[in-house]
Amino acid sequence: MSEKVTIYDIAREAEVSVSTVSRILTGNAPVNPETKQKVEAVLKKYDFRPNRAARNLSNQRSTMIGVILPDITNPFFSTLFAEMQHYAIAKDYSLLLFNAMNSLELESEGLAYLSRHQVDGLIFLGGRVNEITPPAAYQQEIAEVSAKVPTIIVNGTMPDVDAVTVCTDEQSGIAQVVDYLTALGHTRIGLLGGSDHITVTRNRQHAFREEMARLDLGVNESWLITDGFSIESGEKVLEALLQLPEQPTAVIAINDLVALGILKSARRHHIDIPNQLSVVGFDDVYLAAVSTPELTSVSHNYESFGHTIVETIVNRIKGKDVPTSIMIDMQLVIRDSCQSPTVR
Amino acid sequence: MSEKVTIYDIAREAEVSVSTVSRILTGNAPVNPETKQKVEAVLKKYDFRPNRAARNLSNQRSTMIGVILPDITNPFFSTLFAEMQHYAIAKDYSLLLFNAMNSLELESEGLAYLSRHQVDGLIFLGGRVNEITPPAAYQQEIAEVSAKVPTIIVNGTMPDVDAVTVCTDEQSGIAQVVDYLTALGHTRIGLLGGSDHITVTRNRQHAFREEMARLDLGVNESWLITDGFSIESGEKVLEALLQLPEQPTAVIAINDLVALGILKSARRHHIDIPNQLSVVGFDDVYLAAVSTPELTSVSHNYESFGHTIVETIVNRIKGKDVPTSIMIDMQLVIRDSCQSPTVR
DNA sequence: TAAGCCTTCGAAACCGCTTTCAGATTGTCA
DNA sequence: TGACAATCTGAAAGCGGTTTCGAAGGCTTA
């Protein structure tokens, strides 16, 4: 605390004016190489770091990007967040996280929190933006904030909101799974988990119906059962499936947690996976690789996913042109939870 | 962007001086109720929020607390972080997270990152501070930063560093487990997972030996196998155990992930849990409740754990007296992964 | 050698808020 | 009614940077 070095001190010691020091610091004005060297020596001597608050005040920006997500405990979000943060820091931005604890209401507090911080950009990962018909008040809030600060919405949309959307290519992801399963010989396929009011769920269901139709396979609507996104949901959804008179030979889970729930429930019912039932997950969370059996899943490339998000928001912040909608591709990762259907 | 309301605008419209407005905003000086009401009306009219950068600059603080942790993907850390953040916001502080991606080296970058942000406080969760003998350079770095900003270290220590430590009560946690297992009839108990150079591991091993000794039970040192903290480690460690001529009837895992790995590996070897082997985990992460069988584990009360951490750092920031070391208690949560040893 | 241009530098204003310090107002008590 | 204290208010000086604007100096060119 003894030292409180400012650019004035630097300037005095280097025998130049503060503006020269500032020019060197920001690098946006030419300065004589000799003076520059001289000043830089002093800078180094004191290990000088410009005061962030002062700089922010002067620049009218914070170089912080706000992130609102529903649950940092969910490996999908935490993995993605980690990648985003890594890349953001490399680009000299900071990520300020707000974890909404699975409460859509709490997101309002998050919005207030982040705008109090005057973030330069805002990223929505799931939550409200994933609701198919969000309450008007929520939409209004997001519309207001996105009018002021560059906003991007991941895997969701908000009508009448000025935001770039970054979406994973459900279409292709589902198609890959269906093609894989049918290649194994499956024709009776279910899609389990998710919620009817969530965009991602609807998109995947839609893609599923389309791909099945394309292959001239029927879809049994009673095999599309929604119940949420958790491991518990997965358990319940398999229970429900087992009540039906007929069962599929393969099921696609809306995400890996649901798939893990299905695995757990199947174990309890002595259903051998993949022998009696093939299961594929979605998101390829790190848990997929450690379950028994290891889960075949549709993977995001988290690294490039995260980078794309950050790249996009940074470009928007800098006023560069950015496409209003970006697609992230997904890839099937084959492990041990599927095999050809056994003839019974 | 049209509106750029400052306290000058507010002052003008309310026909008072800026200092009066400021006094109302900060609340640290008396102001006439009538004027106050008048000003507050204007404040509300414009939905005025004081500029954070300006306020920080003037106050010489950021009201941000930095958090360095090794892996936000690990449910222990993400759960704890979520609680911390929730409480911090309630106390008008913000948490700035740095995820070190399991790299001790990267933590240096994190330190630089957070001090660039001029955080008012710093929290270390795991990582370097958990190393029994950290490289001198690391220690030096932390010593320097902790000399400048209030620091707290969770579940670890750093010699010669001015920081408050908040630790979970391993002693009691282990004792509860051992007592529970012995009450079930176990006498042959192992402790699996963790790393020899990590404080928490050593503490738990120490506590384990003590409690066993207290109960006049011997500990078989070959049943203390370390291999890391991941699910994979759990698998490996059980494999190793199975190579031994004699096996325990119960094992304590260093954390839940290792326990899950043990479960997975046991399944492969057709070892029935808990029938042939009792397993207990540590940390009581949400995955513990959804494994098969559901895992008996030693639980932190994450809520009060997180609150205590934040409370402590805030008190230190405010200059209040704070004990230099705080203990958090743990509690055994009994589920389905243990039973009395079967006579063979 | 003088005129003109380009490069580099410094003084000063500004970003928006907090706080000190002194002055104005009101109230209290003798 | 006057003196004094207690409250409340306003002007102005920071906080630590960035940036504009004008001036000084060096160089080229006629």
Side-chain angles (χ1 to χ4, degrees), chain A residues 1 4 49 51-54 56-57 60 64 72-73 75 78-79 81-83 85-86 89 94-99 101 106 109 113 116-118 148 231-232 264 267 286-287 289-292 294, chain B residues 1 4 49 51-54 56-57 60 64 72-73 75 78-79 81-83 85-86 89 94-99 101 106 109 113 116-118 148 231-232 264 267 286-287 289-292 294:
Chain A
M1 280 294 148
K4 186 55 90 82
R49 311 240 166 255
N51 180 301
R52 220 187 139 80
N56 288 346
L57 178 58
Q60 303 284 56
M64 286 207 294
I72 190 63
T73 268
S78 56
T79 306
F81 178 81
E83 293 297 344
Q85 165 166 291
H86 192 68
I89 291 181
S94 305
L95 252 37
L96 189 58
L97 171 63
F98 184 87
N99 179 62
M101 302 193 135
L106 250 189
E109 192 188 311
Y113 169 71
R116 247 182 281 140
H117 272 277
Q118 266 129 339
K148 292 183 189 164
I231 299 187
E232 290 85 349
K264 179 178 176 189
R267 209 173 290 133
Y286 72 96
L287 292 168
V290 291
S291 65
T292 315
E294 294 180 13
Chain B
M1 280 294 149
K4 187 53 92 78
R49 311 240 166 256
N51 180 300
R52 219 188 140 81
N56 289 346
L57 178 58
Q60 302 285 53
M64 286 207 295
I72 190 62
T73 267
S78 54
T79 305
F81 178 81
E83 292 297 343
Q85 166 166 291
H86 192 69
I89 292 181
S94 305
L95 253 36
L96 188 59
L97 172 63
F98 183 86
N99 180 62
M101 301 194 135
L106 251 189
E109 192 187 308
Y113 168 71
R116 249 181 281 139
H117 272 278
Q118 267 130 337
K148 293 184 190 162
I231 298 187
E232 290 85 348
K264 179 178 178 190
R267 210 172 290 133
Y286 71 97
L287 292 169
V290 291
S291 64
T292 315
E294 294 179 12

Side-chain angles (χ1 to χ4, degrees), chain B residues 15-261:
Chain B
E15 297 174 311
V16 297
S17 78
V18 290
S19 29
T20 303
V21 179
S22 176
R23 276 189 266 266
I24 289 167
L25 252 19
T26 60
N28 48 22
V31 35
N32 187 304
E34 282 176 38
T35 13
K36 182 167 180 176
Q37 220 164 3
K38 190 173 54 174
V39 173
E40 272 171 347
V42 183
L43 249 24
K44 216 155 298 159
K45 174 176 169 191
Y46 291 102
D47 187 32
F48 179 77
R49 311 240 166 256
N51 180 300
R52 219 188 140 81
R55 183 170 263 190
N56 289 346
L57 178 58
S58 183
N59 283 337
Q60 302 285 53
R61 63 209 183 92
S62 63
T63 62
M64 286 207 295
I65 297 169
V67 178
I68 293 189
L69 50 78
D71 183 13
I72 190 62
T73 267
N74 180 321
F76 170 73
F77 291 116
S78 54
T79 305
L80 187 53
F81 178 81
E83 292 297 343
M84 285 166 51
Q85 166 166 291
H86 192 69
Y87 192 62
I89 292 181
K91 303 215 76 169
D92 278 325
Y93 277 87
S94 305
L95 253 36
L96 188 59
L97 172 63
F98 183 86
N99 180 62
M101 301 194 135
N102 284 315
S103 153
L104 297 187
E105 282 173 54
L106 251 189
E107 291 184 23
S108 295
E109 192 187 308
L111 238 29
Y113 168 71
L114 295 177
S115 44
R116 249 181 281 139
H117 272 278
Q118 267 130 337
V119 292
D120 294 341
L122 208 44
I123 299 171
F124 288 93
L125 293 185
R128 290 181 182 187
V129 296
N130 245 319
E131 294 289 318
I132 289 176
T133 48
Y138 290 176
Q139 185 180 329
Q140 172 67 13
E141 265 184 7
I142 296 190
E144 276 173 19
V145 66
S146 72
K148 293 184 190 162
V149 23
T151 300
I152 106 170
I153 292 176
V154 178
N155 266 353
T157 46
M158 271 280 164
D160 306 322
V161 165
D162 175 30
V164 173
T165 57
V166 175
C167 291
T168 48
D169 190 351
E170 315 295 344
Q171 175 74 41
S172 144
I174 288 283
Q176 288 177 59
V177 177
V178 171
D179 294 358
Y180 169 66
L181 289 175
T182 53
L184 283 176
H186 294 276
T187 56
R188 306 152 59 82
I189 304 177
L191 176 57
L192 303 183
S195 295
D196 295 320
H197 54 99
I198 296 293
T199 316
V200 181
T201 304
R202 192 183 49 181
N203 290 348
R204 290 186 186 166
Q205 290 174 339
H206 180 74
F208 177 63
R209 291 199 184 87
E210 284 217 324
E211 185 64 12
M212 290 295 274
R214 198 181 67 81
L215 298 173
D216 286 325
L217 294 172
V219 346
N220 183 332
E221 288 293 331
S222 60
W223 294 341
L224 271 62
I225 311 177
T226 55
D227 193 286
F229 295 90
S230 65
I231 298 187
E232 290 85 348
S233 310
E235 297 179 58
K236 281 202 267 177
V237 109
L238 185 65
E239 302 287 345
L241 190 70
L242 295 177
Q243 304 303 316
L244 299 178
E246 279 196 318
Q247 272 100 42
T249 58
V251 295
I252 305 170
I254 201 73
N255 69 18
D256 288 340
L257 294 182
V258 167
L260 292 178

Side-chain angles (χ1 to χ4, degrees), chain A residues 329-343:
Chain A
D329 58 326
M330 307 187 75
Q331 244 169 338
L332 184 66
V333 174
I334 296 175
R335 297 203 182 84
D336 312 329
S337 61
C338 299
Q339 69 171 49
S340 295
T342 49
V343 190

Side-chain angles (χ1 to χ4, degrees), chain A residues 131-149:
Chain A
E131 295 288 319
I132 289 177
T133 48
Y138 289 178
Q139 183 181 330
Q140 172 66 13
E141 265 186 6
I142 297 190
E144 274 174 21
V145 68
S146 72
K148 292 183 189 164
V149 23

